[in-house]
Amino acid sequence: CNPRNPRPATVFNNANQHIDVYGDDVEVDYRGYEVTVENFVRLLTGRLPANTPRSKRLLTDEGSNILVYMTGHGGDGFLKFQDSEEITNVELADAFQQMWAKKRYNEIFFMIDTCQAASMFQLFYSPGILAVASSLVGEDSLSHHVDPAIGVYIIDRYTYYALEFLERVEPDSKRTMGEFMEVCPKRVCISTVGRRTDLFARDPYTVPITDFFGSVRKVDLSSTIVNVTKTDKVNNMSEKMSEKRGNKAEKFSQSDLFPIDTLLKG
């Protein structure tokens, strides 16, 4: 952390520091120089090396709803990563299409807070994507307030009001995605919030916000009876394997770590 930071390893949504949104239970799977465009696209599309641990994989399928939130410095058709490379709206659109073709999601809610943010979802063409952006093309996204302790703006306006809305959402909430997409009108955001709903099959005003935020995992109930007991074939194989291991039992012994007799003879 920067030595000027009086509260390292914390993330606050306002200068009063009432809520640490980083929390004690947040698991960060990619950090520092691991956060690259290549790793991000590989994570989305599942094109990862075979030895990649489960914690660094997006373990989703055709029944999964995915939230993608992006923020940082951006412009018309791009978002910066680590201030050294950029992901373009073309790359992002193609990554989502690969996810759809490989049945890696049911629906995606794409949320981005950056300058000219709406340009990042303009080229999306895959079904099942609902998108919201903090600003239209040609507009800047503005910060909310400064933290005098570190001398920088602490949060952007759109994310501030979005988080304020989400803090009041409970697991059994009746609030909808349509309501959430109106959290920052122009009188408070100053920029114009962009929305894209044409790829999304459902009406956002009928979609519970818990479909993407703070929900309990859905469980499909089935009346079909599944036999999970061992079959005779499996039992016979297990017995044969046990006999095979028993017949080839090996004796192990530990070598002398300090051969004193050999040293004395020498």
Side-chain angles (χ1 to χ4, degrees), residues 10-227:
T10 54
V11 178
F12 297 100
N13 71 319
N14 61 65
N16 296 325
Q17 302 183 355
H18 291 157
I19 300 175
D20 179 8
V21 296
Y22 199 71
D24 298 325
D25 57 349
V26 175
E27 296 183 14
V28 180
D29 300 314
Y30 289 81
R31 65 176 71 241
Y33 292 109
E34 291 181 316
V35 183
T36 64
V37 172
E38 179 182 354
N39 283 346
F40 179 60
V41 172
R42 286 185 178 276
L43 175 70
L44 294 177
T45 60
R47 298 177 181 274
L48 294 163
N51 61 348
T52 303
R54 287 175 60 86
S55 63
K56 291 183 178 291
R57 295 178 180 270
L58 184 62
L59 302 174
T60 57
D61 56 31
E62 67 272 17
S64 302
N65 283 359
I66 301 175
L67 166 67
V68 178
Y69 171 76
M70 305 184 76
T71 187
H73 292 295
D76 189 358
F78 70 90
L79 179 72
K80 284 190 174 183
F81 272 55
Q82 298 287 5
D83 214 26
S84 60
E85 58 177 341
E86 303 163 353
I87 187 170
T88 67
N89 52 5
V90 175
E91 293 170 319
L92 192 58
D94 288 345
F96 285 161
Q97 175 58 24
Q98 288 185 52
M99 292 178 71
W100 175 255
K102 298 170 73 172
K103 298 182 178 181
R104 290 179 59 79
Y105 74 86
N106 173 50
E107 293 174 334
I108 289 177
F109 178 52
F110 177 75
M111 180 179 174
I112 182 166
D113 188 353
T114 186
C115 295
Q116 308 196 63
S119 66
M120 292 302 292
F121 62 56
Q122 283 181 330
L123 301 184
F124 289 175
Y125 56 98
S126 307
I129 300 178
L130 179 65
V132 63
S134 62
S135 58
L136 299 180
V137 176
E139 292 184 343
D140 293 333
S141 284
L142 304 178
S143 299
H144 189 267
H145 64 276
V146 71
D147 184 349
I150 55 178
V152 297
Y153 283 93
I154 195 169
I155 192 171
D156 289 334
R157 302 185 75 87
Y158 180 79
T159 298
Y160 178 87
Y161 290 105
L163 187 57
E164 185 178 61
F165 179 93
L166 292 172
E167 285 173 358
R168 298 190 295 269
V169 172
E170 300 293 337
D172 59 350
S173 174
K174 304 300 182 184
R175 308 301 290 270
T176 68
M177 292 300 297
E179 293 177 78
F180 177 69
M181 295 174 76
E182 296 179 352
V183 297
C184 198
K186 191 165 186 177
R187 61 183 171 79
V188 294
C189 246
I190 302 179
S191 60
T192 308
V193 173
R195 305 171 183 85
R196 184 160 181 198
T197 61
D198 59 300
L199 298 171
F200 198 68
R202 297 190 285 168
D203 179 359
Y205 288 93
T206 65
V207 178
I209 194 169
T210 50
D211 276 12
F212 293 96
F213 294 94
S215 64
V216 178
R217 185 177 178 84
K218 292 182 179 180
V219 177
D220 293 328
L221 299 179
S222 174
S223 59
T224 305
I225 299 174
V226 180
N227 183 10

Side-chain angles (χ1 to χ4, degrees), residues 231-249:
T231 63
D232 292 338
K233 184 177 180 180
V234 173
N235 285 331
N236 291 337
M237 289 180 63
S238 299
E239 290 174 1
K240 289 180 180 179
M241 291 297 292
S242 298
E243 292 175 2
K244 192 174 182 181
R245 285 194 294 267
N247 294 336
K248 293 186 177 182

